[in-house]
Amino acid sequence: MMTPEKILYETEVTATGGRDGKAASTDDRLSVLLSVPKSLGGPGGEGTNPEQLFAAGYAACFLGAVKLVARTRKVAPSAEPSVTAKVAMGPVPVGYALAVELKVNLPGVEKSVAEEVVAGAHERCPYSNATRGNIAVKLTVVSGG
């Protein structure tokens, strides 16, 4: 188990009402309504859900790691890179589990070089470190040179 040697940032979010409730951070920068998707037996609704929030966090964090690795390896994409996180949830023998696919677009970068950058990002990203060995994470380079 990896634990930080030194805490550099900490945040706190409280959820109330479960999957049909709300979540808000103590600094008031995040405040979202939550709704159960119809595919999970809920009413749908205006709110987001934990899987979307996880996907947003993982995509943003992984993109930061991609940019860091590209910069340190002197790899310069021809346009702004992007990461799309696809988060799936389904039943396992006891409860439910998640699976993730990270689709990374590094415009103008040769595919083999992009794959090396993505592999390096996967070693460094805190979300990747948190999920490693716990959920399936598929890495896909969707664009290259």
Side-chain angles (χ1 to χ4, degrees):
M1 174 186 318
M2 279 193 254
T3 56
E5 295 174 14
K6 178 181 174 185
I7 302 298
L8 300 176
Y9 174 74
E10 186 173 74
T11 188
E12 190 173 325
V13 174
T14 300
T16 56
R19 284 182 164 269
D20 265 330
K22 60 184 176 179
S25 62
T26 54
D27 65 3
D28 294 323
R29 291 179 174 226
L30 175 75
S31 180
V32 294
L33 294 176
L34 303 170
S35 299
V36 179
K38 288 183 179 184
S39 64
L40 294 178
E46 299 288 321
T48 187
N49 59 66
E51 292 72 34
Q52 287 179 329
L53 295 168
F54 182 72
Y58 203 164
C61 187
F62 198 83
L63 179 56
V66 165
K67 287 178 155 186
L68 172 69
V69 172
R71 201 169 40 252
T72 60
R73 296 187 183 184
K74 306 217 182 319
V75 173
S78 61
E80 182 65 28
S82 64
V83 174
T84 300
K86 182 177 180 180
V87 174
M89 183 176 71
V92 293
V94 178
Y96 294 85
L98 299 176
V100 174
E101 180 179 9
L102 298 174
K103 299 176 185 176
V104 182
N105 184 0
L106 280 166
V109 177
E110 184 181 317
K111 187 165 185 170
S112 64
V113 173
E115 288 171 344
E116 290 175 14
V117 168
V118 168
H122 194 47
E123 291 174 4
R124 289 164 178 76
C125 175
Y127 277 68
S128 292
N129 287 333
T131 60
R132 188 171 289 108
N134 296 310
I135 66 173
V137 176
K138 178 181 177 185
L139 303 173
T140 303
V141 175
V142 295
S143 176

